[in-house]
Amino acid sequence: MGYADLHIHTVYSYDGTSSVEAVLKYVAEYTDLSVIAITDHDCITGALKAQDLAPAYGIEVVPGIEVSTAEGHVLALYIDRPIPPGLSLIETALRVGEQGGLCIAAHPMAAGTSSLDFQTICAALEHPEVRRILVGVERFNGGLVYTRRNPWVEAVASTLPLAQVGNSDAHVLRMIGQGATFFPGNTAAELRHALEHATTEVRKGHGLGGVEVLRDFIPRYILRKMGWVVHNSDPRAPLRLTRVSQALQNTTLGSMPGVRL
């Protein structure tokens, strides 16, 4: 039996604070997760990089995107090409399906961020093809301020004919695994089977409160804006606070000077 966290951000998100390598190292050394998904905002570059690097860290990565649909965010998983933002939930799901991917409704009804409401989710599920693709709902989100609304979301989400998923929505390393999904097996393929057959269960994290999470995130976010992110040059290297250029996606992070954390 395995655990997965299917909502993790890296520096390829505007609000991510850790490199792909740092996320992989943290997951391998500090969590019991066997599968993760990198889901940067409207960007698949980091996810594909993570998938290539993952074997060296002994974990499996599902490539994905947190897509900004016209009605709110949805996680697109098991894909290998970008999905354009701004489309309807139905059109987004259909495009994910064209790649053989799956969708999970991210942090539904969350205050302070672009989120799907349950009415929109239910309407999309009336489309027979979308019903095959939109297979899960994030019943527990261990992320920022919307953590406090999880009890109400859990009650409504549990009535939907969808796989029940827990994720961290991590933007700093310590958040990873603060929400997770329990599934039969320990591989990305077995996780997919569990999502499609709604045999997943939610694992809540240790209850990082909004103040505690913000205390971690805000300093890291400020450092990110100043050009510093958490990084390690290879699986054996320590995590370091590393200076990078603003052209982050095109920078070889391992060549930059760093300060050991």
Side-chain angles (χ1 to χ4, degrees):
M1 313 300 273
Y3 291 102
D5 186 348
L6 302 176
H7 192 167
I8 298 173
H9 295 276
T10 75
V11 290
Y12 289 92
S13 288
Y14 69 91
D15 52 359
T17 63
S18 305
S19 72
V20 168
E21 292 89 342
V23 167
L24 294 174
K25 183 176 180 67
Y26 184 88
V27 169
E29 294 192 3
Y30 298 104
T31 79
D32 60 355
L33 301 169
S34 52
V35 181
I36 64 169
I38 300 298
T39 53
D40 288 311
H41 294 293
D42 300 312
C43 176
I44 199 171
T45 307
L48 296 179
K49 179 179 182 181
Q51 190 178 38
D52 288 341
L53 295 176
Y57 292 84
I59 58 177
E60 285 199 58
V61 170
V62 174
I65 306 173
E66 184 170 9
V67 183
S68 302
T69 78
E71 293 107 344
H73 292 175
V74 67
L75 304 178
L77 305 174
Y78 297 95
I79 59 174
D80 56 14
R81 299 187 303 279
I83 302 293
L87 303 174
S88 69
L89 174 59
I90 289 176
E91 179 60 27
T92 299
L94 293 176
R95 295 208 182 193
V96 172
E98 289 172 359
Q99 296 189 41
L102 302 175
C103 287
I104 293 173
H107 46 67
M109 301 298 296
T113 191
S114 180
S115 304
L116 298 168
D117 59 44
F118 287 117
Q119 183 177 3
T120 299
I121 295 170
C122 291
L125 291 174
E126 293 179 4
H127 190 294
E129 185 64 13
V130 170
R131 204 159 48 236
R132 184 184 64 81
I133 302 162
L134 179 57
V135 297
V137 59
E138 201 170 72
R139 199 178 86 189
F140 179 81
N141 181 296
L144 297 174
V145 292
Y146 27 90
T147 300
R148 298 188 184 114
R149 294 199 65 179
N150 280 151
W152 178 77
V153 169
E154 286 185 68
V156 181
S158 64
T159 67
L160 299 178
L162 297 171
Q164 304 294 296
V165 175
N167 288 323
S168 70
D169 197 358
H171 291 75
V172 296
L173 294 180
R174 201 162 74 96
M175 289 169 61
I176 296 174
Q178 289 299 320
T181 300
F182 176 75
F183 66 98
N186 54 25
T187 69
E190 290 167 321
L191 170 62
R192 179 180 183 125
H193 183 272
L195 290 170
E196 291 175 325
H197 292 82
T199 57
T200 57
E201 297 179 16
V202 171
R203 181 178 72 172
K204 298 181 183 181
H206 300 301
L208 289 183
V211 171
E212 188 176 6
V213 172
L214 287 171
R215 189 178 61 199
D216 275 7
F217 172 68
I218 290 175
R220 295 293 186 195
Y221 180 73
I222 293 172
L223 285 169
R224 161 69 191 273
K225 293 306 178 184
M226 296 171 61
W228 293 86
V229 300
V230 182
H231 176 64
N232 55 289
S233 56
D234 64 61
R236 297 171 302 280
L239 293 169
R240 302 167 68 93
L241 196 58
T242 304
R243 177 76 176 176
V244 297
S245 71
Q246 289 190 355
L248 188 59
Q249 287 85 343
N250 298 319
T251 300
T252 303
L253 291 173
S255 67
M256 298 294 177
V259 178
R260 183 165 182 168
L261 296 178

Coordinates of all heavy atoms in Angstrom, one line a residue, residues 184-224:
P184 N -4.1 1.4 -3.0 CA -3.6 0.0 -3.1 C -2.5 0.0 -4.1 O -2.6 0.3 -5.2 CB -4.8 -0.8 -3.5 CG -6.0 0.0 -3.3 CD -5.5 1.4 -3.4
G185 N -1.3 -0.5 -3.6 CA -0.1 -0.5 -4.5 C 0.9 0.5 -4.1 O 0.7 1.2 -3.1
N186 N 1.9 0.7 -4.9 CA 2.9 1.7 -4.7 C 3.5 2.3 -5.9 O 4.5 3.0 -5.9 CB 4.0 1.2 -3.7 CG 4.7 -0.1 -4.3 OD1 4.6 -0.3 -5.5 ND2 5.2 -0.9 -3.4
T187 N 2.9 2.2 -7.1 CA 3.4 2.7 -8.3 C 2.4 3.7 -8.9 O 1.2 3.7 -8.5 CB 3.6 1.6 -9.3 OG1 2.4 1.0 -9.8 CG2 4.5 0.5 -8.8
A188 N 2.9 4.5 -9.8 CA 2.0 5.5 -10.5 C 0.9 4.8 -11.3 O -0.2 5.3 -11.4 CB 2.9 6.3 -11.4
A189 N 1.2 3.6 -11.9 CA 0.2 2.9 -12.6 C -0.9 2.4 -11.6 O -2.1 2.4 -12.0 CB 0.8 1.7 -13.4
E190 N -0.5 1.9 -10.5 CA -1.5 1.4 -9.5 C -2.3 2.6 -8.9 O -3.5 2.4 -8.6 CB -0.8 0.6 -8.4 CG -0.2 -0.7 -8.9 CD 0.7 -1.4 -7.9 OE1 1.5 -0.7 -7.3 OE2 0.7 -2.6 -7.8
L191 N -1.6 3.7 -8.8 CA -2.4 4.9 -8.3 C -3.4 5.3 -9.3 O -4.6 5.6 -9.0 CB -1.4 6.0 -8.1 CG -2.0 7.4 -7.9 CD1 -2.8 7.4 -6.6 CD2 -0.9 8.5 -7.8
R192 N -3.1 5.2 -10.6 CA -4.0 5.6 -11.6 C -5.2 4.6 -11.6 O -6.4 5.1 -11.6 CB -3.4 5.5 -13.0 CG -4.4 5.8 -14.1 CD -3.8 5.8 -15.5 NE -4.9 6.2 -16.4 CZ -4.7 7.2 -17.3 NH1 -3.6 7.9 -17.4 NH2 -5.7 7.4 -18.1
H193 N -5.0 3.4 -11.4 CA -6.1 2.4 -11.3 C -7.0 2.7 -10.1 O -8.2 2.7 -10.2 CB -5.5 1.0 -11.2 CG -6.5 -0.1 -11.1 ND1 -7.1 -0.5 -10.0 CD2 -7.1 -0.8 -12.1 CE1 -8.0 -1.5 -10.2 NE2 -8.0 -1.7 -11.5
A194 N -6.4 3.1 -9.0 CA -7.1 3.4 -7.8 C -8.0 4.7 -8.0 O -9.1 4.7 -7.6 CB -6.2 3.6 -6.6
L195 N -7.4 5.7 -8.7 CA -8.2 6.9 -9.0 C -9.4 6.6 -9.9 O -10.5 7.1 -9.7 CB -7.3 7.9 -9.6 CG -6.2 8.6 -8.7 CD1 -5.3 9.4 -9.6 CD2 -6.9 9.4 -7.7
E196 N -9.2 5.8 -10.9 CA -10.2 5.4 -11.9 C -11.3 4.6 -11.2 O -12.5 4.7 -11.7 CB -9.6 4.7 -13.1 CG -8.7 5.6 -13.9 CD -8.1 4.9 -15.1 OE1 -7.7 3.7 -14.9 OE2 -7.9 5.5 -16.1
H197 N -11.0 3.8 -10.2 CA -12.0 3.0 -9.6 C -12.4 3.5 -8.2 O -13.1 2.8 -7.5 CB -11.4 1.5 -9.5 CG -11.2 0.9 -10.8 ND1 -10.1 1.1 -11.6 CD2 -12.1 0.0 -11.5 CE1 -10.3 0.4 -12.7 NE2 -11.4 -0.2 -12.7
A198 N -12.0 4.7 -7.9 CA -12.4 5.3 -6.6 C -12.1 4.5 -5.4 O -12.9 4.3 -4.5 CB -13.8 5.7 -6.7
T199 N -10.9 3.9 -5.3 CA -10.5 3.1 -4.2 C -9.4 3.8 -3.4 O -8.7 3.1 -2.6 CB -10.0 1.7 -4.7 OG1 -8.9 1.9 -5.6 CG2 -11.1 0.9 -5.3
T200 N -9.3 5.1 -3.5 CA -8.4 5.9 -2.7 C -9.0 6.3 -1.4 O -10.2 6.3 -1.2 CB -7.9 7.1 -3.5 OG1 -9.1 7.9 -3.8 CG2 -7.2 6.8 -4.7
E201 N -8.1 6.6 -0.4 CA -8.5 7.2 0.9 C -7.7 8.4 1.2 O -6.5 8.5 0.7 CB -8.4 6.2 2.0 CG -9.3 4.9 1.8 CD -9.1 3.9 2.9 OE1 -8.5 4.3 4.0 OE2 -9.5 2.7 2.7
V202 N -8.2 9.3 2.0 CA -7.5 10.5 2.3 C -6.7 10.4 3.6 O -7.2 9.8 4.6 CB -8.5 11.7 2.5 CG1 -7.9 12.9 3.1 CG2 -9.2 12.0 1.2
R203 N -5.5 10.8 3.6 CA -4.7 10.9 4.8 C -4.4 12.4 5.1 O -3.8 13.1 4.3 CB -3.4 10.2 4.7 CG -2.6 10.3 6.0 CD -1.3 9.5 6.0 NE -0.3 10.1 5.1 CZ 1.0 9.7 5.1 NH1 1.4 8.7 5.8 NH2 1.8 10.4 4.3
K204 N -4.9 12.9 6.3 CA -4.6 14.2 6.7 C -3.2 14.3 7.3 O -2.7 13.4 7.8 CB -5.6 14.7 7.7 CG -7.1 14.7 7.2 CD -8.0 15.2 8.2 CE -9.5 15.1 7.7 NZ -10.4 15.6 8.7
G205 N -2.6 15.5 7.1 CA -1.3 15.7 7.7 C -1.4 16.0 9.2 O -2.4 15.7 9.8
H206 N -0.3 16.5 9.7 CA -0.2 16.8 11.1 C -0.9 18.0 11.6 O -0.7 18.5 12.7 CB 1.3 16.8 11.5 CG 2.0 15.5 11.2 ND1 1.6 14.3 11.7 CD2 3.0 15.2 10.4 CE1 2.4 13.3 11.3 NE2 3.3 13.9 10.5
G207 N -1.6 18.7 10.7 CA -2.4 19.8 11.1 C -1.6 21.1 11.1 O -1.8 21.9 12.0
L208 N -0.8 21.4 10.1 CA -0.1 22.7 10.1 C -1.2 23.8 10.0 O -2.0 23.7 9.0 CB 0.8 22.8 8.9 CG 2.1 22.0 8.9 CD1 2.9 22.3 7.7 CD2 2.9 22.3 10.2
G209 N -1.3 24.7 10.9 CA -2.3 25.7 10.8 C -1.9 26.8 9.8 O -0.8 26.9 9.4
G210 N -2.9 27.6 9.5 CA -2.6 28.7 8.6 C -1.5 29.6 9.0 O -0.6 30.0 8.1
V211 N -1.4 30.0 10.2 CA -0.3 30.8 10.7 C 1.0 30.2 10.5 O 2.0 30.8 10.0 CB -0.5 31.2 12.2 CG1 0.7 32.0 12.7 CG2 -1.8 32.1 12.3
E212 N 1.1 28.9 10.9 CA 2.4 28.1 10.8 C 2.8 28.0 9.3 O 4.0 28.2 9.0 CB 2.2 26.8 11.4 CG 3.5 26.0 11.5 CD 3.4 24.7 12.2 OE1 2.3 24.3 12.6 OE2 4.4 24.0 12.5
V213 N 1.9 27.7 8.4 CA 2.2 27.6 7.0 C 2.7 28.9 6.5 O 3.7 29.0 5.7 CB 1.0 27.0 6.2 CG1 1.3 27.0 4.7 CG2 0.7 25.6 6.7
L214 N 2.0 30.0 6.8 CA 2.3 31.3 6.3 C 3.7 31.7 6.8 O 4.5 32.4 6.1 CB 1.3 32.3 6.6 CG -0.1 32.2 5.8 CD1 -1.1 33.1 6.4 CD2 0.2 32.5 4.4
R215 N 4.0 31.3 8.0 CA 5.3 31.7 8.6 C 6.4 31.0 7.8 O 7.5 31.6 7.7 CB 5.3 31.2 10.1 CG 6.5 31.7 10.9 CD 6.5 31.2 12.3 NE 6.4 29.8 12.4 CZ 6.0 29.1 13.5 NH1 5.5 29.8 14.5 NH2 6.0 27.8 13.5
D216 N 6.2 29.8 7.3 CA 7.2 29.2 6.4 C 7.2 29.8 5.0 O 8.2 30.0 4.4 CB 6.9 27.7 6.3 CG 7.4 26.9 7.4 OD1 8.0 27.5 8.4 OD2 7.4 25.6 7.4
F217 N 6.0 30.0 4.5 CA 5.8 30.4 3.1 C 6.3 31.8 2.8 O 7.0 32.1 1.9 CB 4.4 30.2 2.6 CG 4.1 30.8 1.2 CD1 4.7 30.2 0.1 CD2 3.4 31.9 1.1 CE1 4.5 30.7 -1.2 CE2 3.1 32.4 -0.2 CZ 3.7 31.8 -1.3
I218 N 5.9 32.8 3.6 CA 6.1 34.2 3.3 C 7.6 34.5 3.2 O 8.1 35.1 2.3 CB 5.4 35.1 4.3 CG1 3.9 35.0 4.1 CG2 5.9 36.5 4.2 CD1 3.0 35.8 5.1
P219 N 8.4 34.1 4.2 CA 9.9 34.4 4.0 C 10.5 33.7 2.8 O 11.3 34.3 2.1 CB 10.5 33.8 5.3 CG 9.4 33.8 6.3 CD 8.2 33.5 5.5
R220 N 10.1 32.5 2.5 CA 10.6 31.8 1.3 C 10.1 32.5 0.0 O 10.9 32.6 -0.9 CB 10.1 30.3 1.3 CG 10.6 29.4 2.4 CD 12.1 29.2 2.3 NE 12.6 28.3 3.3 CZ 13.9 28.1 3.6 NH1 14.8 28.8 3.0 NH2 14.2 27.2 4.5
Y221 N 8.9 33.0 0.1 CA 8.3 33.7 -1.1 C 9.1 35.0 -1.3 O 9.5 35.3 -2.5 CB 6.9 33.9 -0.9 CG 6.2 34.7 -2.1 CD1 5.9 34.0 -3.3 CD2 5.8 36.0 -1.9 CE1 5.3 34.7 -4.3 CE2 5.2 36.7 -3.0 CZ 5.0 36.0 -4.2 OH 4.4 36.7 -5.2
I222 N 9.4 35.7 -0.3 CA 10.2 36.9 -0.4 C 11.6 36.6 -0.9 O 12.1 37.3 -1.8 CB 10.3 37.6 1.0 CG1 8.9 38.1 1.3 CG2 11.2 38.8 0.9 CD1 8.8 38.7 2.7
L223 N 12.2 35.5 -0.4 CA 13.5 35.2 -0.9 C 13.5 34.8 -2.4 O 14.4 35.1 -3.2 CB 14.1 34.0 -0.1 CG 14.6 34.3 1.3 CD1 14.8 33.1 2.1 CD2 15.8 35.2 1.2
R224 N 12.4 34.1 -2.8 CA 12.2 33.7 -4.2 C 12.2 35.0 -5.0 O 12.8 35.0 -6.1 CB 10.9 32.9 -4.3 CG 10.4 32.8 -5.8 CD 11.3 32.0 -6.7 NE 10.9 32.2 -8.1 CZ 10.0 31.5 -8.7 NH1 9.3 30.5 -8.1 NH2 9.7 31.7 -10.0

